[in-house]
Amino acid sequence: MSASDDSGIRVTGSLVIPASELSWRFSRSSGPGGQGVNTTDSRVELMWDAGASTVLSRVQRERLVERLGNRLVDGVLTIAASEHRHQLRNREAARERLAALVADAVRAPAPPRRATKPTRGSTERRLRAKQHRTDVKRMRRRPTD
């Protein structure tokens, strides 16, 4: 689902976000890092302007805005990654997270469920099982005189 190379981020087979539409910001990360935690900018923020993206179709953009509307700020989707000590690994984590998030957002909705009537056999099996449970519980009762 997520490929990361210099040409961009592969979201689906046909959707690739070009590197030119991505912007990065780096900062110092909290958490583990030893002596280097105060000197290296290992925290990564990946920003993608989904509202102005040229790779999304109108339908994909509408789905993305509808499903990720609460995460978009002025049409820009921001992903932060700081779980690794190395900036390179955090960059990879941010790319993968962006690809997964966008792929999930642009996926077509599942077709609605069509209601069907239970088969006669399944209804009979269900009623037979219920009767069996009734008989079992009846046998557990105290005998009546």
Side-chain angles (χ1 to χ4, degrees), residues 5 20-21 35 40 43 47 58-59 69 94 112 129 137 144:
D5 49 19
S20 61
E21 291 189 4
Q35 294 171 326
T40 57
R43 182 176 187 271
M47 287 147 307
R58 184 184 58 77
V59 174
K137 291 187 175 202
T144 56

Side-chain angles (χ1 to χ4, degrees), residues 1-2 9-18 21-22 46-51 53 55-57 59-65 67-68 71-72 75-79 94-108:
M1 191 185 297
S2 66
I9 298 175
R10 180 166 297 284
V11 177
T12 63
S14 60
L15 179 61
V16 178
I17 301 172
E21 291 189 4
L22 302 173
L46 173 58
M47 287 147 307
W48 176 53
D49 191 352
S53 179
V55 295
L56 294 175
S57 68
V59 174
Q60 288 174 327
R61 185 173 287 110
E62 287 172 1
R63 280 188 197 142
L64 190 104
V65 168
R67 294 178 183 166
L68 297 178
R71 290 195 61 160
L72 296 175
V76 177
L77 178 63
T78 303
I79 306 289
R95 281 188 187 106
E96 288 175 5
R97 231 180 280 158
L98 177 69
L101 202 61
V102 172
D104 193 42
V106 299
R107 184 174 295 121

Side-chain angles (χ1 to χ4, degrees), residues 67-143:
R67 294 178 183 166
L68 297 178
N70 57 343
R71 290 195 61 160
L72 296 175
V73 178
D74 296 330
V76 177
L77 178 63
T78 303
I79 306 289
S82 61
E83 59 267 13
H84 300 290
R85 287 182 175 198
H86 303 285
Q87 186 188 100
L88 203 59
R89 290 178 66 193
N90 282 329
R91 284 177 140 200
E92 188 59 38
R95 281 188 187 106
E96 288 175 5
R97 231 180 280 158
L98 177 69
L101 202 61
V102 172
D104 193 42
V106 299
R107 184 174 295 121
R113 182 188 172 277
R114 281 194 320 213
T116 58
K117 197 169 131 182
T119 62
R120 189 168 67 198
S122 68
T123 306
E124 289 173 1
R125 283 190 299 274
R126 182 179 62 84
L127 293 175
R128 216 175 14 253
K130 284 172 66 102
Q131 189 59 50
H132 178 70
R133 294 298 304 156
T134 302
D135 294 342
V136 166
K137 291 187 175 202
R138 188 178 294 128
M139 293 301 290
R140 291 180 186 161
R141 288 188 199 153
R142 272 184 202 275

